[in-house]
Amino acid sequence: MVPRALRPNLSYTPCASMPRCPKCGEPRTAHFSQLVETGVSDPPITADICKSQLWLSYEQTGEEAGYYWMHVLKLKQRPKPREGVWTRIGILRSAFMSLRLYMLLRELKVIGLIPTGSEPRERPTSDDRDWIARKLEIFAAAGARPSKPTGKQRDWFEAYLTSHKGKGVSESQIAGAEKRLGLALPASYRQFMTRLGKRKFRNIEEEPGFDVTIVPPKELDFSGDWLRDSQQPPADDDTPAKTLPIGTTGFGDYFVFDVGHGLIDGEYPVFIYRHESDEYEPYADSFAMCIKRFVG
């Protein structure tokens, strides 16, 4: 992560039995299941944005994870382990930001603002509001505006469909799915399915092994409702109201339509469900733009 400011981690630590690098002292892996609570609170942040000192990763190294050495490294057998040399998979850190920066990003309609835990409870001070107003003036002076679907984006999707071949599904299959689900499917999903059909995208977001398979109409269902506890109030306005899984990853994450508010300009917004943190992240304002992100 870009921020240089570091927030020391005091509340969790990797378990004592975890092997560590003899040179830097960092643990072999740092999965959620491999952390131990210390009972100590983390210190408050002292910058508008900072990163956590603690990093997280997949529970196995690349030398141990079969999917990685077979499908990413393309090896025919498990590689021999080397002392203190580990290929860590899915490394990530947490981002922390001040309330004023968070409120500024909300004003700018930035997507992906899913707080961990709950919405900030404190309220901005008068100094915070003045700071936010000054920053908004800078954006306005530069001509910045929230992005909206454009003709160029629609042209891109049509060009993509035209330049790729596939075995599309029939309109009757789509109609049958709509009747069974009790809702209309978005225009770009219909176009994609009738012309290309079921399709798999590999290494999306330039992450090796992060493959997504688009669910065809006959397999669409609400069995993924368990992804969101209907008794739990939304963490913020970005939380989807009702989800329909439309993309599977094979390791617990899902891409979903938020169908709770009906079609918006013929489309449903797309979210990604991160199973490790049990959170939804806004991904695209339409299925077409979701595919564009997959393609890169």
Side-chain angles (χ1 to χ4, degrees), residues 165-186:
K165 295 181 180 180
K167 187 177 180 180
V169 305
S170 65
E171 285 285 355
S172 62
Q173 287 190 38
I174 295 178
E178 290 179 321
K179 183 177 180 180
R180 174 169 49 82
L181 298 169
L183 53 79
L185 293 171

Side-chain angles (χ1 to χ4, degrees), residues 13-61:
T13 185
C15 61
S17 62
M18 179 62 63
R20 291 179 176 265
C21 174
K23 292 185 178 181
C24 68
E26 291 295 321
R28 181 184 62 186
T29 54
H31 188 259
F32 288 99
S33 63
Q34 298 166 341
L35 301 182
V36 178
E37 288 191 65
T38 64
V40 180
S41 299
D42 291 335
I45 66 172
T46 57
D48 276 313
I49 186 167
C50 62
K51 61 187 176 185
S52 63
Q53 180 182 24
L54 179 69
W55 53 270
L56 299 173
S57 72
Y58 190 66
E59 63 262 41
Q60 295 177 306
T61 64

Side-chain angles (χ1 to χ4, degrees), residues 141-257:
R145 298 288 186 274
S147 62
K148 295 181 179 180
T150 64
K152 289 184 178 180
Q153 291 176 341
R154 290 188 291 271
D155 291 344
W156 177 90
F157 188 59
E158 177 59 33
Y160 176 83
L161 295 177
T162 302
S163 61
H164 289 76
K165 295 181 180 180
K167 187 177 180 180
V169 305
S170 65
E171 285 285 355
S172 62
Q173 287 190 38
I174 295 178
E178 290 179 321
K179 183 177 180 180
R180 174 169 49 82
L181 298 169
L183 53 79
L185 293 171
S188 56
Y189 175 84
R190 298 175 70 98
Q191 289 178 289
F192 185 94
M193 279 297 157
T194 55
R195 296 168 69 171
L196 301 182
K198 189 174 182 178
R199 203 171 194 85
K200 188 172 188 176
F201 294 87
R202 299 186 181 277
N203 304 327
I204 68 168
E205 307 291 345
E206 299 182 358
E207 185 175 335
F210 190 8
D211 301 340
V212 179
T213 301
I214 302 301
V215 179
K218 64 180 181 180
E219 297 177 20
L220 291 175
D221 61 54
F222 287 108
S223 63
D225 274 347
W226 58 269
L227 298 178
R228 178 174 181 271
D229 183 356
S230 59
Q231 303 301 315
Q232 185 73 21
D236 62 20
D237 293 338
D238 287 331
T239 303
K242 186 175 180 61
T243 60
L244 176 65
I246 51 97
T248 60
T249 63
F251 55 82
D253 288 355
Y254 288 81
F255 286 85
V256 303
F257 284 143

